Amino acid sequence: MDNAKNEILPGSYATVRVPQVALGKLVTLPDNTLIFREKSVQVGAVDNKGVVQLHDVKVGRDFGVQSEILSGVTESDKVIVNPSDSLTTGTTVHVAATPSPSATPATAGKK
């Protein structure tokens, strides 16, 4: 940052907004998808046949309730939320249907 006029003093604090294009493609996952193992951090992803594949991931920045994932998964992977510590590659799972965001509750007694 240019400080030719010496307006920014040592020890000063600032808020900086970085445009998304400067960050590139950012993959983040909720912290409750991460599996902490002895030598690695993993996530469980479900393939099209409903079979779990554990992926070693490299975690970047921690944003509090979610973390940046530098490698190991893509934004198109179906990642398991709240995985069991005993989850292993090859486990067959049933993927629950996700309700449509446009679904509205029925109104009872309306004429």
Side-chain angles (χ1 to χ4, degrees):
M1 169 163 244
D2 180 33
N3 192 22
K5 295 181 181 179
N6 295 319
E7 293 174 333
I8 303 171
L9 303 174
S12 298
Y13 292 90
T15 301
V16 178
R17 289 192 174 86
V18 179
Q20 183 65 35
V21 292
L23 295 174
K25 197 84 163 169
L26 185 67
V27 176
T28 59
L29 287 176
D31 289 341
N32 64 348
T33 61
L34 303 177
I35 305 168
F36 295 92
R37 300 288 165 102
E38 186 176 334
K39 296 186 181 194
S40 66
V41 177
Q42 297 180 317
V43 296
V46 181
D47 66 17
N48 293 335
K49 296 179 183 177
V51 178
V52 174
Q53 302 296 323
L54 292 181
H55 297 270
D56 288 341
V57 294
K58 183 174 180 185
V59 179
R61 294 170 288 181
D62 182 349
F63 298 120
V65 295
Q66 61 184 4
S67 294
E68 175 184 29
I69 305 301
L70 301 174
S71 66
V73 292
T74 65
E75 64 182 26
S76 63
D77 287 328
K78 296 177 191 171
V79 176
I80 298 171
V81 177
N82 294 322
S84 166
D85 287 338
S86 61
L87 187 67
T88 59
T89 292
T91 303
T92 302
V93 296
H94 173 71
V95 178
T98 306
S100 171
S102 62
T104 54
T107 306
K110 190 171 183 180
K111 294 183 179 185

